[in-house]
Amino acid sequence: VIAGILGKKYGNRPVSISAVIMLITSFSLIPLSQQLPLAYQQPAIMVLKSMTGTGLSLFMVNAAPYLTAVTTEKQRVLIFSILGAAPPAAGIIGSLVGGILPELIAAQLNVSISSPLPFAVLLVGAGMFVLPAVPILLSTSERLKTVKKVKAASQQTSLRPFAVPII
């Protein structure tokens, strides 16, 4: 609910950009939390994981209205098909690759697989993987004409046909 309110107040594009920046920041800073004093590590991880969840929520809630505003009717089928298929595909591929890469990274770094370092490298890599989304989002703009047409049409709609006659 809050993500939708923020999108309506500030616009879906700025909220989506903020969400991607939150994701990059949280993914990249989680590995660095092990450098903090022991008393601060757990709270830092909790804050950063909350930031990850908030970023994902903001993006997922605001992505559909934003994509609707910046695409034509013909493009929407493809775009929303990709939007629907990407998370499950990323989950499957990410699980497969994520199960293999820590061992390979540990071997390259000459550390044990029980060391947090291979996993830290993967988390920083996740932040880097999301990084191209920022210039892509910044290079787009919302179609204000479409938004204005929708607002104008909604203001012209009368509620009289839905009125209940009182006898």
Side-chain angles (χ1 to χ4, degrees):
V1 173
I2 294 172
I5 292 170
L6 289 173
K8 190 170 185 176
K9 183 173 182 174
Y10 298 108
N12 299 117
R13 180 178 176 263
V15 173
S16 295
I17 292 169
S18 300
V20 170
I21 292 170
M22 288 176 75
L23 289 169
I24 293 168
T25 304
S26 63
F27 285 152
S28 300
L29 291 179
I30 288 172
L32 298 177
S33 65
Q34 67 182 345
Q35 303 303 319
L36 295 171
L38 192 56
Y40 297 110
Q41 287 181 6
Q42 187 176 9
I45 291 171
M46 291 172 62
V47 167
L48 291 168
K49 291 302 286 178
S50 296
M51 192 173 167
T52 301
T54 302
L56 285 170
S57 298
L58 288 172
F59 185 78
M60 294 309 291
V61 168
N62 288 286
Y66 174 68
L67 289 172
T68 301
V70 298
T71 57
T72 64
E73 196 170 320
K74 290 180 181 179
Q75 295 171 326
R76 287 188 193 130
V77 173
L78 175 64
I79 297 297
F80 283 101
S81 297
I82 292 170
L83 185 66
I92 292 168
I93 294 168
S95 295
L96 289 172
V97 173
I100 297 168
L101 284 181
E103 288 184 30
L104 296 174
I105 293 170
Q108 289 294 317
L109 297 174
N110 291 327
V111 295
S112 168
I113 189 66
S114 61
S115 168
L117 189 56
F119 301 97
V121 170
L122 286 174
L123 285 171
V124 171
M128 299 291 193
F129 190 70
V130 179
L131 199 56
V134 174
I136 291 169
L137 283 169
L138 290 174
S139 70
T140 61
S141 64
E142 295 192 46
R143 289 189 181 170
L144 297 177
K145 292 178 184 175
T146 305
V147 174
K148 287 179 183 176
K149 285 180 186 177
V150 170
K151 284 183 181 178
S154 67
Q155 289 174 351
Q156 292 175 357
T157 304
S158 173
L159 294 177
R160 280 181 267 176
F162 300 104
V164 178
I166 299 175
I167 301 178

